[in-house]
Amino acid sequence: MKFSLGRWCLALALFFTGIAPAAAENTPAVLDALVEEALANNPDLQAARARWEMNAEKISQVEALEDPVAGIVFNNFPVDSLAADETPMTGRIFKVSQKFPFPGKLALRGEIAGEQAEWYRAAYDDARLQLGRMVREGWYNLYYYNRGIEVTEKNMALLDDFTRLTETRYEVGQGLQQDVLKAQVERSKLMDRLFTLRQQRRTALENLNRLLARPTGSPLETPTELETPPVTLSLDALLEQSRSRRPLYAAYESLVERYRVEKQLAKRNFYPDFNVGAAYTFREKNRNDDGTDFVGLEFSVNLPVYRQKRHAAVAEAESGVRMALRQYDDFRNTVEFNIADGYAQMEKNRDLLRLYESGIVPQAGQSYQASVSAYQVGSVDFLSLLDSLMTLYRYNLEYYRVQADYQKSLARLEAESGVGIAGPSADSNPVNP
């Protein structure tokens, strides 16, 4: 019995060691390296970059003139002989023509393509933020599952001691059979939790491999401890800075500007385009003259007489501007809600961490230690001792979950705002205590 109690006290010390704040100096470097690897290799992000580059190449295309048109006309050949030297009107005409849009149209088309490319560039930059968030969240989930598995295995070892002790006491008539059964049931519950944690850890690991574009089953350096950096920005400062730092704000501004330029182009379509050409006629000598060659010039314009469709194009662009402005407003409202909600989650997790570190877990440990001492002298029954152990286990597990959730709330805030918010490198605008 003394040997078992010694193991219980050792396990209690391990519990306190597990929740003590650790200086995990290598954690930021390892995580930053994983984020950089994902940014370099993730195929979905690479596709987003290619989409931006593809649209950027359209700018020079739409700003260029259409290709000139060249042609040959066999003009006024007699139908009975098809001879080239019988009549003075017969000749072979070589023609070249070039279409010129009304001044300003090409530049406006280039602006539209440029704003479209800017949308995809900003979307790519935003995708980088979101990918970084997903890598960080996956890594913090992995931390929680690792620590949860560790704590659960420690408790299973303790319950094995409990079970042997209660069996021994029951065999000599000093214990109850229900104590043995209760210890076995609690161990089975822990085994069920352990199976779940292991499955969740495997899923989190493979999800990280997917984000990193690594083969399934690739090993990954996992965190053992986490720092708890303070947040150095207030909510108001974070909301204000997000408007200039979150890339999708620029994307929606480009969308609005694109439709405004489309409206300008639609108005320019009320004016005609021009077509300029030149022709050279090759003639054969015939009975009437010596076959002198002819030259000619041509100039034509389209007639924009169907004005209803042009008015409809202007109205379409105006609706596009209104739509883009409303989408911008909805995006801003969504981002501000997500930041406010994320900030509230961060504050809750921060306060919970303080509560667990300074109150709940130490108090649960003291309660457990007192139960061990009381049980040793027969002051409390076995079920009370078991309950204190399981309570300490649940609070330890919850502590690691809150610790991971705090880190994930920071990652979410940084992705939503585009602003670094934690640690000494963050912008200085202190959070109200």
Side-chain angles (χ1 to χ4, degrees):
M1 178 175 177
K2 292 182 180 179
F3 172 76
S4 298
L5 288 176
R7 287 195 61 180
W8 295 337
C9 293
L10 174 62
L12 179 61
L14 291 175
F15 275 124
F16 283 116
T17 301
I19 69 163
E25 296 180 357
N26 65 328
T27 295
V30 172
L31 182 53
D32 289 345
L34 289 177
V35 171
E36 290 301 320
E37 181 180 347
L39 294 178
N41 300 330
N42 184 268
D44 190 52
L45 185 65
Q46 291 174 343
R49 181 180 181 87
R51 191 177 300 115
W52 159 39
E53 293 171 343
M54 176 184 69
N55 280 272
E57 295 297 335
K58 293 181 179 179
I59 300 174
S60 59
Q61 299 178 49
V62 299
E63 288 179 335
L65 292 170
E66 294 183 11
D67 292 335
V69 177
I72 297 178
V73 179
F74 295 91
N75 193 47
N76 295 325
F77 279 72
V79 296
D80 54 352
S81 65
L82 298 179
D85 58 356
E86 288 186 1
T87 70
M89 296 186 300
T90 302
R92 301 175 182 86
I93 305 174
F94 177 74
K95 303 176 62 177
V96 179
S97 63
Q98 175 67 60
K99 183 178 180 180
F100 295 94
F102 192 85
K105 285 185 178 181
L106 289 181
L108 291 173
R109 290 171 186 166
E111 286 187 49
I112 293 171
E115 296 297 343
Q116 182 75 356
E118 178 63 18
W119 164 274
Y120 285 109
R121 184 203 62 78
Y124 164 72
D125 288 340
D126 202 79
R128 288 172 58 89
L129 279 179
Q130 303 311 315
L131 178 60
R133 173 186 60 81
M134 289 187 287
V135 171
R136 288 183 170 88
E137 287 182 345
W139 208 65
Y140 296 135
N141 282 332
L142 203 58
Y143 166 81
Y144 165 65
Y145 299 137
N146 285 341
R147 299 314 302 264
I149 290 171
E150 179 185 355
V151 171
T152 303
E153 289 174 343
K154 287 179 181 178
N155 275 267
M156 289 179 64
L158 284 174
L159 279 176
D160 287 340
D161 278 348
F162 276 154
T163 302
R164 285 191 293 269
L165 177 62
T166 53
E167 287 174 347
T168 301
R169 291 170 62 90
Y170 175 67
E171 289 172 357
V172 298
Q174 296 180 358
L176 301 175
Q177 185 179 23
Q178 70 179 29
D179 293 344
V180 177
L181 297 176
K182 181 63 175 177
Q184 292 173 343
V185 168
E186 292 298 334
R187 191 186 189 282
S188 297
K189 290 180 180 179
L190 288 180
M191 182 62 71
D192 177 70
R193 173 64 64 86
L194 184 62
F195 290 157
T196 299
L197 288 170
R198 287 173 175 171
Q199 174 269 314
Q200 291 172 330
R201 182 189 183 280
R202 179 63 180 272
T203 300
L205 179 62
E206 296 305 340
N207 184 56
L208 272 174
N209 281 328
R210 177 185 66 85
L211 296 174
L212 297 169
R214 293 182 178 182
T216 300
S218 297
L220 183 67
E221 183 176 356
T222 55
T224 56
E225 300 291 347
L226 288 182
E227 294 178 335
T228 306
V231 175
T232 57
L233 278 180
S234 66
L235 176 58
D236 290 339
L238 194 60
L239 289 170
E240 181 180 356
Q241 293 188 33
S242 69
R243 297 184 184 100
S244 60
R245 302 285 289 276
R246 178 73 186 269
L248 275 185
Y249 273 107
Y252 278 99
E253 289 169 359
S254 294
L255 183 64
V256 173
E257 186 61 24
R258 170 193 163 187
Y259 283 110
R260 285 174 176 163
V261 178
E262 284 192 1
K263 180 180 177 181
Q264 296 178 39
L265 180 60
K267 291 182 176 180
R268 290 291 178 99
N269 285 332
F270 283 94
Y271 300 99
D273 299 326
F274 311 102
N275 193 73
V276 178
Y280 192 96
T281 304
F282 298 91
R283 300 175 62 240
E284 302 286 348
K285 291 183 179 181
N286 54 67
R287 293 189 295 269
N288 299 309
D289 57 39
D290 291 333
T292 302
D293 294 344
F294 298 149
V295 296
L297 296 174
E298 67 175 20
F299 177 83
S300 63
V301 298
N302 67 302
L303 301 177
V305 295
Y306 301 111
R307 302 177 69 83
Q308 182 177 359
K309 67 177 184 180
R310 290 171 171 80
H311 285 296
V314 173
E316 177 187 356
E318 290 174 342
S319 297
V321 171
R322 293 194 299 271
M323 176 195 71
L325 287 171
R326 299 291 78 78
Q327 287 179 335
Y328 179 89
D329 291 340
D330 181 67
F331 170 73
R332 183 188 64 246
N333 293 337
T334 300
V335 169
E336 291 180 354
F337 165 77
N338 288 340
I339 291 175
D341 180 61
Y343 204 91
Q345 294 288 338
M346 178 275 298
E347 290 182 317
K348 179 203 73 173
N349 292 323
R350 179 196 61 195
D351 295 340
L352 279 176
L353 276 178
R354 294 172 180 171
L355 180 61
Y356 276 99
E357 290 173 352
S358 63
I360 292 179
V361 175
Q363 291 166 4
Q366 293 168 4
S367 174
Y368 167 71
Q369 192 173 27
S371 296
V372 171
S373 300
Y375 182 71
Q376 189 174 10
V377 298
S379 299
V380 299
D381 60 13
F382 174 76
L383 294 181
S384 296
L385 175 62
L386 184 61
D387 180 68
S388 66
L389 172 65
M390 299 310 298
T391 298
L392 179 60
Y393 162 72
R394 288 191 294 270
Y395 284 141
N396 272 272
L397 196 64
E398 187 66 10
Y399 168 79
Y400 292 124
R401 185 193 64 78
V402 173
Q403 195 179 27
D405 285 349
Y406 176 76
Q407 299 286 351
K408 290 192 292 184
S409 65
L410 297 185
R412 178 190 176 192
L413 281 173
E414 291 185 349
E416 287 291 340
S417 65
V419 180
I421 63 171
S425 62
D427 298 316
S428 58
N429 192 329
V431 181
N432 294 326

